[in-house]
């Protein structure tokens, strides 16, 4: 069997990919203002389910963009998500990315309290005197702890990206975040991952870069 490959120049691959995504989405309804985020998640994962399972609280995108423009920092629950976020673009806005999962004090706190490092890392993040966006792509316990900190009035994030992937407590942890009054972008259901959490951050940063005065 002869396999024929489409001849596409390297610099045209992304553009071509987005043309395919747009065509295959057809008339699938997307929330106005969220289209680029949805399409970038599909581009990252090749999974069109994100057109339906990405949920946005009211004005989440515009509020997140304002926060980033004002220098908000991003906290992730994995080194993979941290590595995937466009740090140069974030630094131009005055922000930086944090991941405390490998910190010795976080490991010690998790052991002492009998919880996960992800949960303990949220406690450490809550002590930062900064405007924060949380990009969670792996640990449901991170989302649960964020919910608890919000209920305890110890934390008020500018945005929570809830995209842990898996089977145990993944769905309910996302639903908890959607019950708060904090702006959120949530990948409802079992799907997600560090790549999706980073992708959403980058889509927001890309939107800012593309709309500079």
């Amino acid at each position: 069997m002869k396999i024929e490959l489409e001849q596409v120049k390297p610099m045209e691959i992304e553009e071509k990919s987005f043309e395919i995504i747009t065509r295959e989405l057809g008339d699938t309804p997307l929330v106005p203002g969220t289209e680029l985020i949805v399409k970038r998640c599909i581009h990252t994962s090749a999974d069109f389910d994100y057109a339906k399972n990405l949920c946005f609280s009211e004005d989440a995108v515009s509020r997140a963009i304002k926060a980033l423009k004002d220098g908000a920092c991003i906290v992730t629950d994995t080194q993979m998500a941290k590595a995937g976020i466009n740090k140069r673009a974030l630094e131009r806005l005055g922000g930086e990315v944090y991941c405390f999962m490998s910190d010795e004090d976080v490991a010690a706190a998790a052991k002492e309290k009998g919880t996960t490092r992800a949960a303990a890392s949220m406690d450490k993040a809550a002590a930062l005197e900064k405007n924060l966006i949380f990009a969670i792509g792996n640990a449901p316990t991170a989302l649960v702890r964020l919910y608890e900190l919000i209920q305890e009035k110890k934390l008020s994030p500018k945005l929570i990206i809830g995209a842990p992937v898996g089977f145990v407590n993944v769905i309910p942890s996302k639903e908890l975040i959607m019950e708060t009054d904090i702006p959120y972008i949530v990948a409802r259901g079992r799907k997600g991952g560090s790549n999706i959490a980073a992708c959403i951050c980058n889509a927001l940063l890309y939107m800012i870069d593309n709309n500079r005065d």
Side-chain angles (χ1 to χ4, degrees):
M1 181 179 67
K2 184 178 180 181
I3 298 175
E4 294 186 4
L5 299 177
E6 186 174 357
Q7 298 302 311
V8 183
K9 295 178 181 179
M11 67 285 294
E12 296 174 350
I13 292 174
E14 182 173 292
E15 180 181 355
K16 181 70 174 177
S17 296
F18 275 89
E19 288 175 1
I20 293 169
I21 290 167
T22 299
R23 183 172 66 249
E24 294 196 13
L25 279 172
D27 58 359
T28 301
L30 301 177
V31 177
T34 70
E35 296 92 344
L36 180 63
I37 296 171
V38 172
K39 288 179 182 180
R40 285 200 165 270
C41 286
I42 294 171
H43 180 251
T44 293
S45 63
D47 189 341
F48 279 81
D49 281 355
Y50 285 105
K52 297 179 180 179
N53 68 20
L54 276 184
C55 300
F56 300 81
S57 63
E58 187 174 359
D59 299 325
V61 174
S62 59
R63 293 171 72 176
I65 287 174
K66 182 182 185 305
L68 289 167
K69 286 181 175 180
D70 290 342
C73 296
I74 298 174
V75 177
T76 79
D77 65 329
T78 65
Q79 297 294 342
M80 182 185 295
K82 180 182 177 181
I85 292 170
N86 188 331
K87 285 169 277 296
R88 286 187 180 180
L90 186 59
E91 287 167 2
R92 285 197 294 269
L93 300 170
E96 57 186 308
V97 185
Y98 297 100
C99 180
F100 301 124
M101 290 292 289
S102 302
D103 293 6
E104 291 183 4
D105 57 339
V106 167
K111 184 176 181 180
E112 179 183 348
K113 296 178 182 179
T115 187
T116 65
R117 288 193 184 195
S121 71
M122 297 301 103
D123 287 317
K124 183 167 183 175
L128 295 173
E129 295 183 358
K130 297 177 182 288
N131 290 327
L132 299 175
I133 288 173
F134 287 84
I136 309 303
N138 181 67
T141 54
L143 288 185
V144 173
R145 186 56 186 149
L146 285 177
Y147 175 82
E148 293 170 346
L149 289 166
I150 291 164
Q151 297 304 112
E152 295 165 6
K153 309 295 184 184
K154 294 179 180 178
L155 185 65
S156 183
K158 296 299 180 181
L159 175 74
I160 296 177
I161 297 168
V165 59
F167 300 93
V168 179
N169 289 330
V170 167
I171 294 174
S173 69
K174 294 175 181 178
E175 297 297 321
L176 281 176
I177 295 304
M178 295 175 69
E179 291 180 2
T180 72
D181 59 0
I182 301 298
Y184 64 76
I185 301 174
V186 167
R188 209 166 195 171
R190 291 174 171 173
K191 293 184 179 181
S194 296
N195 60 332
I196 294 298
C199 172
I200 293 171
C201 293
N202 289 338
L204 292 167
L205 292 167
Y206 186 86
M207 292 168 76
I208 293 171
D209 276 346
N210 272 14
N211 289 282
R212 288 186 180 276
D213 295 331

